[in-house]
Amino acid sequence: RFSACLDDTDGALKAGILADIERARGYKIRGTPTFIVNGVAHAGFLPPAGWEAILDEILAGKAAPSAPAAGDI
């Protein structure tokens, strides 16, 4: 199975990867890690306190979702 994935004779794997790359470009993602939270991109490492601040704002209703919606990701 592993070798079959690497062979990608029908091009499905490559097509999927290219689709993911284009989707990332739409969000202006240039590297990893990048996390989309409530429609907002957060690039790079975030310590637990950073995640806590982001999630607290969302839970408090202070961070409105932006386009594209998180459900579109």
Side-chain angles (χ1 to χ4, degrees):
R1 257 199 238 180
F2 181 75
S3 294
C5 288
L6 294 179
D7 291 340
D8 193 31
T9 55
D10 64 356
L13 180 62
K14 183 177 180 180
I17 292 169
L18 292 175
D20 287 346
I21 290 170
E22 286 305 311
R23 192 173 191 187
R25 284 184 181 148
Y27 291 108
K28 297 183 177 145
I29 295 173
R30 290 188 166 76
T32 59
T34 299
F35 302 93
I36 309 294
V37 181
N38 209 29
V40 178
H42 300 274
F45 171 77
L46 284 173
W51 283 109
E52 185 176 8
I54 291 167
L55 296 174
D56 284 347
E57 283 187 14
I58 293 169
L59 293 172
K62 295 178 184 175
S66 62
D72 294 339
I73 298 168

